[in-house]
Amino acid sequence: MPTRTKKDKTTITSCRFVCCKEGLRVKDKRDYLTVNPRQETRTDCKAKISLVLQDGKLRVKEFVEEHNHVLHTMQTAHMLASQRHVSEIQAHEIELANDSGIQQRASFTLASMHVGGRDNLGYTRLDQKNYLRTRRQNSMKYGEAGSLLGYFQDQISSNPSFFHAFQMDSEEQITNIFWADARMQLDYGYFGDVISLDTTYCTNNAHRPLALFSGFNHHRGVVIFGAALLYDETTASFNWLFETFLKAHNQKKPLTMFTDQDQAMAKAIQEVFPNTCHGLCTWHLMQNGIKHLGNLMKNGSHFLQDFKACMYRYEEETEFEAAWSKILLDYNVHENTWIRSIYSLKEKWAACYMKRFLTLGMRSTQLSESLNADVKRCLKPDVDILQFFKHFELVVEDKRYNELKCEFEAREKVPRLRYPSSPMIQQLAKVYTPTIFEMFQDQIDLFFTCCVKQRRESESLIEYVINMLNHKGEWKVLFYPQEKSISCTCRKFENFGILCCHAVKAFEANDVKEVPDQYILKRWSKNARIGVIFDVNGREVEEDPKLVRTLQYKSLCKIMIKLASDVSGNHEEVSLVQSGIDELINKVMTLRLGTITTNRHQKETSLVHSSTNDTITPSSIDTLQPTGIKKRQGRKSSKRLKSSVEVRLSRTSSKPTVKNSQSEQSTDIGAQSQVQFENPFSFTKFSSDILPDMFSHKPLIQECCPFELKQNQPCHHTSFTSYHIGIHSRSGCTTISVPTAPTTSQAATPGEQEGIVAEPPTGH
């Protein structure tokens, strides 16, 4: 260990290097309790070398060469603790691999191959594991809830349109959380007519349901409209979720919504979305049918096929009723409770009833098997809340990249026209996306099998009865020549958004060669994303507000990577580039220092001219506020038991906790804590910890002390509790007395604002 001079504390006067096995391990008083103690590594080795500063040079004072243990070989020397170190660049690569979802073993093998073997890497797999664990612990220093709110704040700073909301219980524990980034808001603005809500995902460690709002884009790919972590699946939770969802998307309600067969969810939809068609997920219906009537599906039974036919095949209500009666008779399930309950909800799952509403072909909440698998990988029991959000971002980004690939294919490839001479085909090939255009061409193929069986004409209406070769049934088509409007009993356009073969046959019979504009939905066109979407604050939603910075970053990376690739292998060129980069870095730092000095001078000038009567009110601080309080009646409050370490830390902690005034407490004394995070979290305490950082962004304040709080100071109003906050600046120290209002959401009245007093600056 080195010894430094007492004056400057920088000059080393002597130092000593010893063997890593020097000394002996101190005997632990608890050894008798240890079942499997660690093996001894120290042998009291005397090998050492001592150096002393003489005449400006370090000279050897003492040298002991002999070791009393076996020495390591060159192949194992890299495993010594003194030879292991995770550099800053290596740490960045480890973090990137972990955030990308790469397993630790695979990332360690890849890093070893880059440097030519594990011997040259400089750290072991255990070091990598310990580094990630330490990083995870540091990121969770505020607990799960505190880290979550910090993550949301970072997202808002990168894009102001990011929306999030959370609900708390009476004990200030976070219960329900909802979030939607800018791209989700844009997607819902363009494609939010039909949505699905899937709550089948659950975190394995806490069993908190993950709710995903999703739908189809113009390429009929999956898009995410929002996500939520719920405490439970009750009507109150779903009411809060749906109201928050509407608030995030500027009160735009969907036309159709698919969910599973959950009664609490159905009740909440009826209350919040009274005019929205509620459809049931057919996949969940099949699973429930197997669960309740599995005994009817044995020994070659056709019950499952007959039940599927009732869901998908029959387009007429009479056909459905006849088939359902046959199922009841053949399988003798007249008195089955589940059969009766599912029949009472037939308008929500049978094709003959669902064709009245716009569904876009959606019949299930399981829109994508790959999405289900990717999301479930994010919900492993060893994944904390921040890791979940990073993995979830990757899943959402992967789905968005799929749309980008479809967009590329649409611009790169010319669609194949099955009937090139058809004016209608030529028209829609330029309008529809390739996926939807292929579906319309399928209808053109069926058009050639259609025959006009009857034709009745009146003054403003032409009625056709059309049948199809090798198809059972007849379809009635009504055509209005003046408006060029058309309707068919199959309701293909009303249900999916494209014209059916029967309507095309009627158009052909009346020499209508192109599809009228009112029958081309914008959501299926190539221009579906053209338009302006506004967020809840009235701002235009931008997917990437820092697009210029992103383009600059990509341009510089491309230049620097190409330069590094060209000069690698030539020592002179590498030295020249390195010296040039060092010089460039120095110039950038000089420019930054000049900018910082200028900004500091401007702030000092503003502080001199600012009045000491300027006050800071609680309403001027943009803090995160919960939306509503979740309550549960009839049970006493309970908290998890704290460990001895937590109890000891709480006793020795010097940080004060800001408590709510009496008027802020919940009126439900028996309300139970609705969430049990790994670390219990007080929203008020988090505000007191984070508030100084928020103050530091104000233009008139240079630095805030860590919350000098003095509670229960006299104030002008007896219902207020005031706090003294010490704020340091170059002109002195100002103490501001801030009273807390009875409710955080209530704005302070002029009389209440008089209770905020700023004391004049004093010397340090």
Side-chain angles (χ1 to χ4, degrees), residues 19-24 40-46 68-69:
C19 178
C20 63
K21 295 183 178 293
E22 181 262 349
L24 292 173
E40 184 66 59
T41 57
R42 295 177 180 268
T43 61
D44 197 18
C45 181
K46 303 299 183 182
N68 63 356
H69 56 86

Side-chain angles (χ1 to χ4, degrees), residues 390-405:
K390 291 181 180 180
H391 293 174
F392 183 76
E393 286 179 359
L394 295 178
V395 173
V396 175
E397 185 61 32
D398 184 62
K399 299 306 171 187
R400 293 171 180 173
Y401 188 73
N402 289 339
E403 180 181 341
L404 196 62
K405 290 192 294 185

Side-chain angles (χ1 to χ4, degrees), residues 363 462 504 742:
R363 295 298 304 277
I462 303 177
V504 175

Side-chain angles (χ1 to χ4, degrees), residues 343-572:
Y343 179 75
S344 63
L345 301 174
K346 59 184 178 180
E347 291 84 1
K348 297 184 178 182
W349 55 267
C352 58
Y353 297 100
M354 290 301 298
K355 72 176 185 179
R356 306 171 183 172
F357 309 99
L358 181 67
T359 64
L360 307 178
M362 184 188 302
R363 295 298 304 277
S364 171
T365 58
Q366 310 290 311
L367 301 185
S368 172
E369 294 182 1
S370 61
L371 175 63
N372 299 343
D374 293 339
V375 172
K376 288 179 180 178
R377 277 197 292 266
C378 300
L379 302 176
K380 295 180 180 179
D382 58 341
V383 175
D384 59 44
I385 191 70
L386 291 182
Q387 285 181 309
F388 161 75
F389 273 99
K390 291 181 180 180
H391 293 174
F392 183 76
E393 286 179 359
L394 295 178
V395 173
V396 175
E397 185 61 32
D398 184 62
K399 299 306 171 187
R400 293 171 180 173
Y401 188 73
N402 289 339
E403 180 181 341
L404 196 62
K405 290 192 294 185
C406 293
E407 193 70 26
F408 172 79
E409 295 290 336
R411 298 174 182 271
E412 178 70 12
K413 299 179 181 179
V414 178
R416 181 176 61 89
L417 307 183
R418 302 180 192 177
Y419 307 98
S421 59
S422 170
M424 192 174 293
I425 290 293
Q426 295 176 4
Q427 172 200 11
L428 297 181
K430 301 176 182 178
V431 178
Y432 281 153
T433 59
T435 303
I436 304 303
F437 179 66
E438 286 298 318
M439 292 183 176
F440 181 78
Q441 290 200 105
D442 293 338
Q443 294 297 318
I444 296 297
D445 289 340
L446 295 175
F447 154 78
F448 292 102
T449 65
C450 294
C451 302
V452 178
K453 184 178 180 180
Q454 295 181 6
R455 183 178 186 275
R456 302 188 187 91
E457 184 175 356
S458 60
E459 296 181 358
S460 60
L461 172 66
I462 303 177
E463 179 181 336
Y464 294 91
V465 177
I466 297 177
N467 58 11
M468 300 175 64
L469 299 177
N470 302 323
H471 290 76
K472 295 181 180 180
E474 296 178 348
W475 293 268
K476 183 184 295 185
V477 180
L478 302 179
F479 176 68
Y480 298 87
Q482 295 181 355
E483 299 85 3
K484 290 187 178 181
S485 62
I486 199 167
S487 64
C488 179
T489 54
C490 75
R491 302 185 68 86
K492 180 74 173 181
F493 177 77
E494 291 81 0
N495 180 258
F496 193 85
I498 62 175
L499 288 177
C500 61
C501 57
H502 319 115
V504 175
K505 184 67 176 179
F507 276 148
E508 180 66 22
N510 290 274
D511 292 332
V512 179
K513 300 300 182 181
E514 292 187 349
V515 177
D517 293 340
Q518 64 264 33
Y519 295 106
I520 301 178
L521 292 187
K522 182 183 177 182
R523 65 118 47 239
W524 290 137
S525 68
K526 298 178 181 178
N527 299 327
R529 287 192 174 274
I530 295 180
V532 178
I533 305 298
F534 297 96
D535 61 13
V536 65
N537 297 318
R539 295 187 297 257
E540 180 181 352
V541 180
E542 298 180 80
E543 182 178 354
D544 187 3
K546 301 178 181 179
L547 181 61
V548 176
R549 180 179 179 181
T550 303
L551 295 177
Q552 292 173 349
Y553 175 80
K554 291 182 178 180
S555 176
L556 289 176
C557 283
K558 183 178 180 180
I559 296 173
M560 299 303 293
I561 291 174
K562 185 177 184 302
L563 179 62
S565 177
D566 291 342
V567 303
S568 296
N570 190 313
H571 181 70
E572 294 181 358

Side-chain angles (χ1 to χ4, degrees), residues 236-271:
S237 292
F238 285 123
N239 271 330
W240 176 88
L241 175 62
F242 295 151
E243 291 171 359
T244 306
F245 180 80
L246 287 180
K247 181 180 179 182
H249 296 296
N250 225 353
Q251 301 301 322
K252 177 183 177 180
K253 296 182 179 180
L255 301 177
T256 309
M257 185 174 183
F258 285 90
T259 67
D260 58 9
Q261 193 179 353
D262 187 277
Q263 296 181 358
M265 194 184 305
K267 184 178 180 181
I269 291 175
Q270 188 176 3
E271 294 176 0

